[in-house]
Amino acid sequence: MVFLVLVLHLLGAAVWVGGHLVLSLTVLPGALRDRDPGPVLRFEKPFERIGIPALVVQVITGLWLADRYVPGILPALDFADRLHTIVAIKLLLLIATAITGAHARFWIIPRLTPQRMPALAVHVTVVTTMAVALLVLGVSVRYL
Ligand code: HEM
């Protein structure tokens, strides 16, 4: 069972982190250069269809995995040792990702104009950095 959950967690990570790296490093620079939101919007739409389910998989499998290390998960918020700290930071990054994502989806993207491209760039960079941090923290659980 742990094997299956870990495979799902890594598949979700591949989609979420990989998709955001492609967006940040290949799609966004061209769009910023041309001050054209089009390429980002064309990437976001189809990516959402697989990216959001991948994030949902990360939440379910991540909480399941975390519960094995810190039963009940919430006690991790005492930051008492390195394991608690990793789980707590992952939880906080998850909440920050959800808030940033909702802000982009309902505020930035509907009002996107060439002048507002920098706001979108900041958002994409923040979400990508948080995605990579979630991955690095996940790997570091085994290297405490
Ligand atoms: C986009 C979100 C996430 C990404 C990209 C991500 C990524 C990863 C990666 C790459 C690993 C390493 C797996 C391995 O060593 O085989 C991992 C492990 C882990 N993740 Fe996540 N994760 C995410 C969300 C979460 C959440 C929300 C939690 C819950 C607090 C969580 C808890 C864990 C735990 C406990 C492990 C250790 C599993 C083990 O080695 O037994 N993850 N994560």
Side-chain angles (χ1 to χ4, degrees):
M1 182 67 175
V2 180
F3 175 81
L4 179 69
V5 174
L6 255 183
V7 167
L8 288 174
H9 199 67
L10 286 169
L11 267 179
V15 171
W16 185 254
V17 181
H20 280 90
L21 285 174
V22 171
L23 176 60
S24 296
L25 300 177
T26 70
V27 180
L28 185 64
L32 273 178
R33 190 186 52 235
D34 303 337
R35 289 202 154 258
D36 175 14
V40 177
L41 297 178
R42 282 194 292 278
F43 180 90
E44 286 267 9
K45 270 257 170 289
F47 178 65
E48 255 184 21
R49 284 204 289 274
I50 174 169
I52 301 299
L55 187 59
V56 171
V57 167
Q58 289 314 89
V59 176
I60 296 168
T61 56
L63 293 179
W64 192 89
L65 289 166
D67 189 62
R68 291 179 62 239
Y69 291 104
V70 186
I73 301 168
L74 288 183
L77 293 169
D78 64 7
F79 295 85
D81 56 29
R82 284 188 67 181
L83 186 57
H84 280 214
T85 303
I86 291 172
V87 169
I89 296 176
K90 284 194 85 154
L91 274 179
L92 296 175
L93 282 174
L94 176 70
I95 293 166
T97 298
I99 293 172
T100 318
H103 177 250
R105 180 72 180 74
F106 300 112
W107 185 260
I108 298 180
I109 291 179
R111 293 168 180 76
L112 198 56
T113 59
Q115 293 73 35
R116 293 202 175 129
M117 286 295 288
L120 180 70
V122 169
H123 163 266
V124 169
T125 307
V126 168
V127 174
T128 305
T129 306
M130 291 196 292
V132 173
L134 278 156
L135 180 147
V136 173
L137 284 166
V139 173
S140 65
V141 168
R142 287 168 192 261
Y143 295 91
L144 288 173

